[in-house]
Amino acid sequence: MPVYNAPTKDMQFILHEVLNVSGSDIPGYDELDADFTAAVLEEAGKISSNVLHPLNVVGDTEGVRHENGVVYTPTGFKDAFEQVKVGGWTGLDMPEEFGGQNMPYVIGSAVGEMFSSSNQAFTMYQGLTHGAASAILAHGTDEQKATYLPNMVSCEWTGTMNLTEPHCGTDLGLMRTKAEPQDDGSYKVSGQKIFISAGDHDMADNIIHLVLAKIPGGPEGIKGVSLFIVPKFIVNEDGSLGERNGVSVGKVEEKMGIHGNSTCVMNYDEATGFLLGDLHKGMRAMFTMMNEARLGVGMQGLAQAEAAYQNAVEYAKDRLQGRDVTGAKNPDGPADPLIVHPDIRRSLMDQKSFTEGARAFALWGATMIDKAHRAHDKDADGLISLLTPVIKGFLTDEGYDMTVKAQQVYGGHGYIEEWGMSQYTRDARIAMIYEGANGVQALDLVGRKLATDGGKHVMAFFEMVKNFCKENGGQNEALDKAFIEPLKAASKDLQAAGMYFMQNGAKNPNHALAGSNDFMHMFGHVCLGLVWAQMAKAAYAALDGGTSDTEFYQTKIATGQFYMARRLPATALHLARIQTGADTVMALEAASF
């Protein structure tokens, strides 16, 4: 049975010694003192380790059942869902007006990582609900908010997002689902949606579907798409549940992973729906959900990598294989543990340096969301918009790779189901695909986000890196050599790639798009380089201040040094690829493949 221990100590380090959340002027952050966040994270960690994690393998082996129109979740899921609801975890960062606790998004993000590490398929049920509730909160009428949000915040009712159709995924302008206006102001929604996570289940009294559809006679393509609230059961005026709506499950998909989540084909047969937001502005409303979901999915990549890494470390310490080439480390045994071997150490350091850097990056991103929403800071909103495809694409690509590395530590035991390692790899795989496949994230980054507001936000990022290096250089030789100098070099690589796009993309857009994936990964590495430099600065400060926990801070510095020396130089490779342009990529005619 795999293990999982919530990394609360590392989260506390990031929140208080790196991000200094309690000293921030973001509204609500003054309440985030170390004792308060420790209490929240410790309780979330207990639920993750003791309640959700034991059900992870259950959900994977049992999956969900679709019988006589009813979708049944795996054994134990309903009871666990009740515990999560009773604890108030589903509305952690939602407004008190609707039953939430109004905590900052950064705390919800930290808790979300733990929940996803312990049981991603389970956590998706409340995660999708949170996204749907956020869309209603941002775009709904007062009546819609009052009707749906209290029960969604508590997860008495859950929610979904319905975008994809059998013939269109990324290109939503091709959708065929229609919404016919009715005399009473409602709409009759008809069509089929596929790949709907948490589409139906037995853990909630009602499911509130947010469905993209076109109103006949509206504009063509994506400009004619509107968003509708389509409840499984119609909600009566007094808040009670009425008749079953015209929505049903066509089938539950058989998937590579996340078996405990019900991924459904949803059929809408003149189902009653209610317009959410403005007419023909459905994508704007949906993107409230999508952007939040993309950050959450980035966290999933980190979460699966963290859980897989924890198990790989335990196995590497216990499994006896071969002898240390420099001398036996376990002379009384028949062999030394795997962890003595340099290649195993390399793999574990790849994983450790990624997960700790990714956690700092993701929590930093969460503070930007809080700054944008709570302090109405447009610059923070612009920066997190720029970094969202990086968080989603880079963290899930790398997170998946790290689960494979963890699986590899086990050798053949990683490939058989008895040890449970394949589940982390299988569950991590979907994060690279849903909420916008990672290739699309890269195209969005290069094709749209770099040029937003005249390039203001990417220039602000480069200035941020430059200022950090300038303000902290020359004070600590070790920090300079191991962190600041590599960060400068990586940032220059990223700027050179951006300059290449400017000089060549206008003449031939393919020169930019062919390098978009490399650029997204370059950007991700520079972001992790920046947060690792920030963490190293905090760790050196703690050591200089006479901390009693020297092992933690020395380990943090050594892990960061590994990232800067062994992982960050990948920016040079990505730059070299980008600068070859599109000619070799586009050289073959389609028929030649």
Side-chain angles (χ1 to χ4, degrees):
M1 172 71 77
V3 300
Y4 175 68
N5 296 299
T8 54
K9 185 175 183 178
D10 198 49
M11 290 177 175
Q12 284 285 89
F13 166 71
I14 295 167
L15 290 173
H16 297 287
E17 297 181 62
V18 180
L19 299 175
N20 187 25
V21 291
S22 60
S24 169
D25 60 358
I26 299 173
Y29 272 43
D30 57 331
E31 300 178 7
L32 299 182
D33 61 68
D35 288 340
F36 176 77
T37 59
V40 173
L41 297 180
E42 289 296 332
E43 285 304 309
K46 290 177 184 177
I47 290 179
S48 298
S49 297
N50 301 331
V51 178
L52 303 185
H53 179 252
L55 295 175
N56 198 37
V57 68
V58 176
D60 188 52
T61 53
E62 284 190 17
V64 298
R65 293 181 291 117
H66 181 209
E67 297 177 356
N68 301 318
V70 179
V71 177
Y72 297 95
T73 50
T75 303
F77 270 44
K78 285 184 74 172
D79 289 342
F81 203 59
E82 287 302 313
Q83 292 187 58
V84 170
K85 290 194 295 183
V86 168
W89 298 105
T90 60
L92 203 64
D93 59 348
M94 297 300 281
E96 291 178 287
E97 175 186 359
F98 302 110
Q101 299 185 51
N102 200 37
M103 291 187 195
Y105 182 78
V106 70
I107 298 300
S109 294
V111 170
E113 183 203 324
M114 291 186 272
F115 281 11
S116 290
S117 280
S118 59
N119 197 324
Q120 179 174 318
F122 175 93
T123 302
M124 289 170 64
Y125 289 99
Q126 65 259 33
L128 270 296
T129 305
H130 189 285
S134 295
I136 294 173
L137 183 65
H139 302 283
T141 64
D142 289 343
E143 181 182 0
Q144 288 172 336
K145 294 175 188 178
T147 299
Y148 299 106
L149 288 183
N151 282 311
M152 293 180 74
V153 168
S154 68
C155 271
E156 293 301 321
W157 301 349
T158 60
T160 70
M161 61 171 81
N162 287 235
L163 295 81
T164 306
E165 299 184 7
H167 59 282
C168 71
T170 302
D171 192 355
L172 291 171
L174 299 176
M175 72 175 54
R176 296 170 184 162
T177 300
K178 289 185 170 55
E180 298 276 356
Q182 305 298 299
D183 292 340
D184 62 359
S186 67
Y187 293 79
K188 291 297 183 184
V189 179
S190 298
Q192 185 179 80
K193 298 290 184 176
I194 65 171
F195 305 153
I196 308 307
S197 300
D200 198 74
H201 55 86
D202 59 350
M203 299 194 298
D205 296 331
N206 201 6
I207 300 177
I208 311 304
H209 302 288
L210 298 192
V211 184
L212 286 177
K214 290 182 175 180
I215 298 170
E220 291 295 319
I222 201 68
K223 294 181 179 179
V225 172
S226 300
L227 184 61
F228 299 89
I229 299 173
V230 186
K232 178 179 178 179
F233 291 96
I234 299 295
V235 182
N236 296 323
E237 288 188 13
D238 63 0
S240 64
L241 297 184
E243 63 183 11
R244 175 73 183 256
N245 207 352
V247 53
S248 61
V249 178
K251 71 170 182 176
V252 173
E253 301 286 5
E254 294 186 19
K255 310 184 296 293
M256 176 180 174
I258 54 168
H259 295 154
N261 195 269
S262 52
T263 306
C264 299
V265 173
M266 304 299 300
N267 294 322
Y268 295 89
D269 301 301
E270 294 193 344
T272 298
F274 308 94
L275 182 68
L276 177 61
D278 297 330
L279 199 66
H280 307 313
K281 301 293 183 183
M283 289 308 299
R284 183 172 66 184
M286 182 61 84
F287 266 103
T288 298
M289 235 182 350
M290 288 287 285
N291 285 332
E292 177 183 307
R294 285 171 177 171
L295 293 166
V297 170
M299 190 68 84
Q300 288 178 357
L302 153 63
Q304 294 307 299
E306 170 66 30
Y309 163 72
Q310 289 187 19
N311 286 277
V313 169
E314 292 298 314
Y315 188 84
K317 290 179 178 179
D318 291 340
R319 177 73 167 176
L320 302 181
Q321 291 284 287
R323 287 294 188 190
D324 187 334
V325 295
T326 64
K329 294 299 186 289
N330 180 34
D332 296 331
D336 289 332
L338 279 173
I339 201 164
V340 306
H341 303 302
D343 193 60
I344 294 294
R345 291 289 187 95
R346 172 199 57 78
S347 175
L348 293 176
M349 288 296 284
D350 278 346
Q351 296 166 56
K352 181 177 175 61
S353 65
F354 167 74
T355 57
E356 293 181 14
R359 179 173 299 117
F361 181 25
L363 291 177
W364 174 43
T367 65
M368 288 184 232
I369 291 179
D370 280 329
K371 196 169 186 178
H373 293 174
R374 289 172 170 253
H376 309 291
D377 188 312
K378 292 185 178 180
D379 289 336
D381 188 56
L383 185 56
I384 191 57
S385 179
L386 169 72
L387 294 180
T388 291
V390 182
I391 292 173
K392 196 280 184 185
F394 180 71
L395 296 194
T396 58
D397 275 353
E398 290 287 301
Y400 174 79
D401 285 347
M402 296 307 157
T403 67
V404 174
K405 289 178 184 291
Q407 190 182 27
Q408 186 75 10
V409 170
Y410 280 71
H413 289 296
Y415 194 68
I416 62 175
E417 296 300 326
E418 178 184 355
W419 291 82
M421 292 303 291
S422 77
Q423 183 181 357
Y424 296 119
T425 301
R426 290 184 283 104
D427 285 358
R429 185 65 184 89
I430 185 57
M432 302 161 71
I433 299 171
Y434 60 15
E435 309 310 337
N438 286 356
V440 176
Q441 301 301 319
L443 295 178
D444 177 50
L445 173 64
V446 171
R448 294 178 61 245
K449 298 296 175 62
L450 287 183
T452 300
D453 294 333
K456 171 184 177 181
H457 305 297
V458 71
M459 294 308 296
F461 175 82
F462 288 134
E463 193 67 18
M464 183 187 308
V465 175
K466 179 182 177 181
N467 287 340
F468 176 86
C469 294
K470 184 177 181 180
E471 291 168 7
N472 294 283
Q475 301 178 30
N476 180 323
E477 185 179 351
L479 183 68
D480 283 349
K481 184 176 180 180
F483 292 91
I484 291 179
E485 292 304 322
L487 177 58
K488 285 181 180 177
S491 181
K492 287 179 181 177
D493 286 342
L494 186 63
Q495 292 177 65
M499 185 61 66
Y500 176 85
F501 291 156
M502 288 178 60
Q503 293 173 344
N504 297 275
K507 293 181 290 185
N508 181 356
N510 282 342
H511 284 316
L513 300 184
S516 60
N517 185 269
D518 283 290
F519 189 81
M520 179 179 74
H521 279 257
M522 277 184 89
F523 213 143
H525 278 299
V526 174
C527 288
L528 261 63
L530 175 60
V531 296
W532 264 119
Q534 293 169 337
M535 288 191 285
K537 175 187 174 183
Y540 280 121
L543 291 170
D544 291 343
T547 177
S548 60
D549 194 359
T550 56
E551 182 182 356
F552 175 84
Y553 294 104
Q554 288 172 347
T555 299
K556 184 64 68 176
I557 291 169
T559 305
Q561 288 172 338
F562 175 90
Y563 193 90
M564 305 303 277
R566 300 276 305 212
R567 305 285 296 170
L568 192 58
T571 58
L573 171 63
H574 290 302
L575 176 60
R577 289 172 173 168
I578 287 169
Q579 290 177 336
T580 64
D583 292 344
T584 57
V585 173
M586 305 300 292
L588 296 182
E589 297 295 330
S592 299
F593 283 91

